[in-house]
Amino acid sequence: MSSIAEEIAELKVASAAQTAASQALSQEVAGKMGQIDQKTHENTAKVDSELAKIQTKLSRIVMTRNQELDFEGGFPKSFAVSANVTIELYLAVTEHNVKSPDAVALLQEVMQDTGFNLKPMAYYRRGFNVIKISWVNKPGWLCYPHAADDAQSLSIPLNTFYTLGSFTKILSGGLLSGAEAWAKGAELGKWKFCNFKASPSGFGAYSYLHPIPSTPTGEMLVFLPAAITGHIDDGSEWFPNIKIGN
């Protein structure tokens, strides 16, 4: 009996040792898997980071016309405007280092709201206009700059990395979420550097250029609306850039 009891005890010890070894092996495997997962995560993050750098370092080329909003015949040139929408010149910002007090005040307000340095006391390569957009009777769309490659098109190709943006401040009303175009991220009562960043989307793909209102009436201030190649997060890099259209 003692021999059988001893054998049983030995089997229990062996089983416990095997169980412990199995658990240790499982823990080691889990640890290795965790290390592999961590490395995979780190490498994926590195690839995403490098891709993001490439996207921001692409040559900056303006894909739309008249980013400066120059006027001709009472309207911005190369700029389509929907029915029930009016556009008026709100303020001219000159290229000179001595700008009007109103222009300096507006640029300082934009800098305070956005945190980007727009250098209001510096010379600019050229000046630009700030416009006021007003709408009534809830139009289907507001307005948009013509594409550089096709003055009749209300869209641009969606097979490159680009940013569709502007500096915008909503005074009243609002825009339809997901259909803000160059006013993506605009807020009521505050200047925003709006920047919708797009990536290649396949054969035949395109993106509309016009914001759609969500309210029957509204007003907003806008300057430098455009589509520009590359992904741009820094508003101080938005202007000027190389243009391929008038």
Side-chain angles (χ1 to χ4, degrees), residues 63 149 155-164 196-208 231:
M63 301 168 62
D149 67 333
S155 66
I156 52 176
L158 191 49
N159 264 323
T160 188
F161 295 102
Y162 72 85
T163 303
L164 184 59
F196 168 72
K197 295 184 287 293
S199 301
S201 296
F203 189 86
Y206 62 93
S207 175
Y208 285 119
H231 285 176

Side-chain angles (χ1 to χ4, degrees), residues 105-167:
L106 182 138
L107 293 172
Q108 289 177 335
E109 180 186 356
V110 176
M111 290 194 300
Q112 182 176 350
D113 285 349
T114 65
F116 298 121
N117 184 8
L118 304 188
K119 300 180 179 180
M121 302 301 183
Y123 282 100
Y124 294 162
R125 186 167 187 257
R126 61 160 302 175
F128 57 86
N129 289 323
V130 182
I131 60 174
K132 183 178 181 180
I133 302 172
S134 306
W135 67 91
V136 296
N137 300 326
K138 198 176 183 180
W141 53 277
L142 296 179
C143 52
Y144 62 89
H146 292 163
D149 67 333
D150 185 354
Q152 305 305 314
S153 178
L154 50 74
S155 66
I156 52 176
L158 191 49
N159 264 323
T160 188
F161 295 102
Y162 72 85
T163 303
L164 184 59
S166 67
F167 288 91

Side-chain angles (χ1 to χ4, degrees), residues 34-54:
Q35 292 175 13
I36 293 172
D37 289 343
Q38 179 63 27
K39 276 295 182 183
T40 301
H41 177 74
E42 291 174 357
N43 290 334
T44 300
K46 287 179 181 179
V47 171
D48 290 343
S49 176
E50 291 303 314
L51 179 59
K53 290 178 182 178
I54 292 172

Side-chain angles (χ1 to χ4, degrees), residues 13 23 29-30 41 50 65 83 86 100 103 126 133 154 165 167 181 183 187 191 194 197 210 213 220 237-238:
V13 170
Q23 290 176 343
V29 170
H41 177 74
E50 291 303 314
R65 305 188 184 208
T86 59
S100 71
R126 61 160 302 175
I133 302 172
L154 50 74
F167 288 91
E187 294 184 10
W191 282 102
C194 304
K197 295 184 287 293
H210 52 68
M220 59 184 184
E237 299 175 359
W238 187 244

Side-chain angles (χ1 to χ4, degrees), residues 61-84:
I61 300 175
V62 184
M63 301 168 62
T64 49
R65 305 188 184 208
N66 193 21
Q67 184 185 16
E68 299 84 1
L69 296 172
D70 293 332
F71 271 60
E72 184 177 79
F75 290 95
K77 296 186 297 182
S78 302
F79 208 75
V81 182
S82 180
N84 297 318

